[in-house]
Structures are given as structure tokens and as C-alpha cells.
Amino acid sequence: QKEVEQDPGPLSVPEGAIVSLNCTYSNSAFQYFMWYRQYSRKGPELLMYTYSSGNKEDGRFTAQVDKSSKYISLFIRDSQPSDSATYLCAILSSNTGKLIFGQGTTLQVKP
Amino acid sequence: DAGVIQSPRHEVTEMGQEVTLRCKPISGHDYLFWYRQTMMRGLELLIYFNNNVPIDDSGMPEDRFSAKMPNASFSTLKIQPSEPRDSAVYFCASSPRQGASEAFFGQGTRLTVV
């Protein structure tokens, strides 16, 4: 079993839609949860991170963590064509520094 | 700082040849990660270093793969001999410290083994 599972999609939505991206993880040793965004032919870039259960908002983006279920989500409100990218969840162990990623979900927002 | 620098950006090689990928992390960063990305498997962690010391190489697929970090400003990932299934984009990333710190990625090296 992979330590982080993520549906690769692809996911296609119309502009303005609410997007929900999800991951599950298996190891409770990981304390930090991140979302990276990757545009075509570029390296991933950090979008958001959180370390506690609950929600964290940043503009149109909301990261949600449920540690009891080992489930993490990213919601995008009022999605824009510029949001079209691959979104990767990531988990980090602060004890070891190990950072691992889900497979990534490819999102296309159509105008 | 110019960010994480990887070279070459593209590499095409014949099966059986040795391939060396290079990475210069951001100055002052303590952690360096090597990842491999494919459509089928996503972004896989191969190995990571803390202060130039390899911490976890459990993601290295085979003995054909090796990585070194001789100093804080340079790391290599070597594949010898290369095989077509090694074709992928290889990313290097660095982060400044343990804990919730952002990992900064290079542009990647696109490797094609024919």
C-alpha cells in the first residue's frame, strides 16, 4: 500500500465550479500536510500547508485535514482556467524530514 | 538566490549507458530530495539527504541507481547501466529545515533512454 493515495483524474470542470481534490494517507507519523501545484513542464510549487485537523483558507483555496480518518482535501472555489494544473498532496514527517507525494490529480478548468 | 538548479534539462541516452544528473540546492538548505515523476507512478521519492548525509534511500529502485552529496552545494544521481524504463522526469528539491518548511523544486531533468 502506498503511503499516500490520490486519484490521478483527470478532472475537467467548467469555469466557476467548485473543485474538490482528495488524498488519503496511512502513516500517522506524518504531521504536516501540504498541497503543491504543478504546471506543465515545471517543478511543483507549494500552494498551502497545514498541520492540524480542520480547515485553512487562503483566498479561493481551502485545505482540510481529518487526522482521525487520515483524509486530506483541497477545495477550489470559483475555479479559473488559470487553475488548470496538476495538484499534488504531500505529507511531511517533522521527525525525519521525509516528504512524500500523492500521484497528483490533473485538473482542467474550461472557460 | 537562483533557486534549485538541475542539469541537464534534457538527456537522451542509449540503453546501457551511464547517466549522471546534477543538482545545486538553494544555499543554506539542510535537506535535499531526489524524486522521479512518471505518468503511471506520479512523483516518487528516491532518496533524501540531511546535511549531506543520506537519510532514507528506500525509494531507490535498484542497485543501478546511486546518489551522492559530496558537499552542501552539490548532489548527483547516477544510473548505471540505464534502461528504457528509467525514462522519466527527475526532480531535485531542497528545503531549509525540519518541520513545516517548503520544499523548492528545480525544473527537472527529462531523461529518455532509447
Side-chain angles (χ1 to χ4, degrees):
Chain A
Q1 182 191 6
K2 281 188 172 183
E3 290 187 278
V4 187
E5 299 275 1
Q6 182 177 8
D7 185 343
L11 185 61
S12 182
V13 301
E15 183 175 354
I18 296 174
V19 176
S20 172
L21 305 169
N22 308 293
C23 289
T24 58
Y25 64 98
S26 57
N27 190 340
S28 300
F30 291 88
Q31 304 99 340
Y32 293 94
F33 310 93
M34 303 173 176
W35 285 95
Y36 280 73
R37 180 171 60 193
Q38 184 180 23
Y39 291 111
S40 181
R41 298 189 175 271
K42 300 287 187 182
E45 293 180 321
L46 181 67
L47 189 59
M48 296 182 70
Y49 84 88
T50 185
Y51 61 88
S52 58
S53 283
N55 295 349
K56 181 177 181 180
E57 276 193 32
D58 184 1
R60 296 184 295 109
F61 298 88
T62 299
Q64 188 176 80
V65 176
D66 182 345
K67 287 188 175 182
S68 62
S69 303
K70 298 188 179 66
Y71 196 82
I72 55 178
S73 301
L74 178 70
F75 299 96
I76 307 174
R77 292 185 300 280
D78 187 24
S79 56
Q80 302 295 309
S82 57
D83 295 331
S84 298
T86 297
Y87 291 81
L88 302 108
C89 61
I91 55 177
L92 170 69
S93 167
S94 66
N95 295 334
T96 64
K98 188 173 185 179
L99 177 65
I100 57 174
F101 287 81
Q103 191 170 349
T105 302
T106 300
L107 170 68
Q108 183 182 27
V109 181
K110 295 184 176 180
Chain B
D1 201 314
V4 176
I5 299 173
Q6 290 187 247
S7 64
R9 289 293 308 277
H10 303 273
E11 177 81 29
V12 180
T13 191
E14 291 186 347
M15 182 174 63
Q17 295 298 307
E18 177 180 295
V19 175
T20 300
L21 311 181
R22 297 173 175 79
C23 176
K24 182 180 186 308
I26 294 172
S27 176
H29 282 195
D30 292 339
Y31 285 85
L32 183 139
F33 305 85
W34 281 101
Y35 294 90
R36 177 174 69 177
Q37 188 172 39
T38 61
M39 289 290 290
M40 290 297 296
R41 302 175 67 89
L43 193 64
E44 301 174 281
L45 176 63
L46 301 177
I47 185 171
Y48 72 103
F49 296 83
N50 180 19
N51 292 320
N52 314 338
V53 177
I55 303 300
D56 186 340
D57 65 354
S58 60
M60 297 286 260
E62 299 171 36
D63 291 345
R64 299 184 295 106
F65 286 70
S66 62
K68 293 182 180 179
M69 192 164 185
N71 58 62
S73 59
F74 184 65
S75 178
T76 59
L77 178 68
K78 187 175 293 186
I79 309 172
Q80 165 64 17
S82 57
E83 296 183 4
R85 60 195 167 113
D86 301 331
S87 298
V89 181
Y90 291 80
F91 284 102
C92 174
S94 69
S95 69
R97 56 179 168 81
Q98 208 160 304
S101 51
E102 178 178 355
F104 294 83
F105 281 76
Q107 294 279 56
T109 294
R110 185 172 296 272
L111 173 65
T112 304
V113 183
V114 298

